[in-house]
Amino acid sequence: MKYAEVLSRESSWSKSTYLYLKGIFMLMSEDQSAAMTEHVVAIFTKVPELKVRVAGKSLPIEKFAIRRVQRFFAQGNRLTLPALEVIYIWNGFAIIYKSAPLAEPILQLIEAKVAEVSGDGQSKTQADDLGLCLLLKAMCLVCRRDSAGAEACLRELVSMEKRLVEDKHLVPYAVAEMGFLALRDGKPREAQSHLEAALNNYKGYQLESRLHFRLHAALEELKRQKDPAKTAGQSAAGRP
């Protein structure tokens, strides 16, 4: 939270994004007082006002942050696990994977939120919130090396596709994660099927380009695993 505050003041890249980060970290802090909520409301009000355009285009992460701020106000100042969501978006679970015990308190937080969301039948985005929880839970189970549990969460999320109202991106991300998981577990055919499905079967969703970078990298890794000698030869030929 402290560093998001510093970046929001001093960075010229995207003050909107850094303010959103500060707000969501505050939103998930232990301090849930009315004063804290008022502070978050004040911060989120500024997020859309500070958006920028780079080379004539809006930043995808800013678009995402602005949509989340809009949902925050529409839902009566509430978001589901927004800080964990951003950690996932920025591939932070790859770091947590290297130290599995870090996933345990996160998993407990997610499971508590699943119970809360499941009982909230009045929310029009209940399925979206539950889908996000399932994706985050799957990432924690990956960190625990529980591939079967992670895949079960991801498949459940994919099965919810028609129930999702706003967060359509969750499905291609879940399909991609099944591919990344299969690649990690040494299942190349299964990995290729999921990775190509995520790349080719879904279009026009939030943060699409971010996922495509990861998909192309995984498919390149799959090629290297299938034919390491050829890949090594190509690499050597490209050296100065």
Side-chain angles (χ1 to χ4, degrees), residues 4-19:
E5 166 68 23
V6 172
L7 287 167
S8 69
R9 290 198 315 266
E10 300 181 6
S11 173
S12 59
W13 175 66
S14 173
K15 293 182 181 298
S16 176
T17 299
Y18 294 131
L19 268 182

Side-chain angles (χ1 to χ4, degrees), residues 20 23-24 27 40-48 69 72-73 79:
Y20 177 68
I24 60 177
L27 200 60
V40 173
V41 167
I43 289 171
F44 279 177
T45 300
K46 297 177 183 177
V47 169
V69 165
F72 171 78
F73 289 119
L79 284 174

Side-chain angles (χ1 to χ4, degrees), residues 34-75:
M36 177 65 80
T37 301
E38 286 182 18
H39 194 176
V40 173
V41 167
I43 289 171
F44 279 177
T45 300
K46 297 177 183 177
V47 169
E49 299 171 0
L50 294 173
K51 65 181 179 181
V52 297
R53 297 180 75 84
V54 177
K57 296 183 178 181
S58 300
L59 297 173
I61 192 66
E62 282 194 349
K63 290 182 179 178
F64 179 82
I66 290 169
R67 289 192 183 103
R68 280 293 184 260
V69 165
Q70 291 169 342
R71 184 187 290 187
F72 171 78
F73 289 119
Q75 294 182 153

Side-chain angles (χ1 to χ4, degrees), residues 159-180:
S159 74
M160 295 168 56
E161 181 174 8
K162 293 183 179 179
R163 294 166 52 198
L164 300 177
V165 178
E166 297 178 7
D167 295 339
K168 303 294 186 181
H169 67 286
L170 291 174
V171 173
Y173 269 80
V175 175
E177 290 296 349
M178 285 193 284
F180 302 145

Side-chain angles (χ1 to χ4, degrees), residues 5-222:
E5 166 68 23
V6 172
L7 287 167
S8 69
R9 290 198 315 266
E10 300 181 6
S11 173
S12 59
W13 175 66
S14 173
K15 293 182 181 298
S16 176
T17 299
Y18 294 131
L19 268 182
Y20 177 68
L21 293 180
K22 178 184 176 182
I24 60 177
F25 291 139
M26 292 174 66
L27 200 60
M28 289 192 65
S29 69
E30 293 182 359
D31 183 356
Q32 295 294 306
S33 65
M36 177 65 80
T37 301
E38 286 182 18
H39 194 176
V40 173
V41 167
I43 289 171
F44 279 177
T45 300
K46 297 177 183 177
V47 169
E49 299 171 0
L50 294 173
K51 65 181 179 181
V52 297
R53 297 180 75 84
V54 177
K57 296 183 178 181
S58 300
L59 297 173
I61 192 66
E62 282 194 349
K63 290 182 179 178
F64 179 82
I66 290 169
R67 289 192 183 103
R68 280 293 184 260
V69 165
Q70 291 169 342
R71 184 187 290 187
F72 171 78
F73 289 119
Q75 294 182 153
N77 302 344
R78 179 182 65 81
L79 284 174
T80 297
L81 303 176
L84 297 183
E85 180 179 43
V86 167
I87 289 172
Y88 169 75
I89 289 170
W90 289 103
N91 207 24
F93 280 94
I95 298 172
I96 297 171
Y97 181 82
K98 297 175 183 178
S99 184
L102 293 176
E104 295 305 317
I106 298 174
L107 182 58
Q108 292 175 16
L109 189 63
I110 294 167
E111 289 180 333
K113 182 60 68 172
V114 167
E116 178 186 324
V117 170
S118 298
D120 185 12
Q122 302 300 314
S123 173
K124 73 170 187 176
T125 57
Q126 181 188 39
D128 302 64
D129 293 337
L130 182 57
L132 173 61
C133 289
L134 287 169
L135 180 60
L136 296 173
K137 181 177 180 179
M139 294 303 97
C140 287
L141 294 177
V142 168
C143 293
R144 294 175 71 182
R145 281 57 172 178
D146 181 0
S147 296
E151 184 175 352
C153 288
L154 295 168
R155 289 190 180 279
E156 183 178 353
L157 170 51
V158 172
S159 74
M160 295 168 56
E161 181 174 8
K162 293 183 179 179
R163 294 166 52 198
L164 300 177
V165 178
E166 297 178 7
D167 295 339
K168 303 294 186 181
H169 67 286
L170 291 174
V171 173
Y173 269 80
V175 175
E177 290 296 349
M178 285 193 284
F180 302 145
L181 181 60
L183 182 61
R184 187 181 293 115
D185 288 347
K187 302 175 181 178
R189 290 185 180 179
E190 185 179 330
Q192 183 168 356
S193 176
H194 289 312
L195 294 171
E196 290 181 346
L199 185 63
N200 299 319
N201 295 351
Y202 306 91
K203 304 293 178 185
Y205 53 88
Q206 295 183 80
L207 303 173
E208 183 174 355
S209 59
R210 181 174 291 275
L211 181 59
H212 278 199
F213 281 122
R214 293 184 65 198
L215 287 167
H216 286 300
L219 287 167
E220 284 300 314
E221 174 61 25
L222 193 57

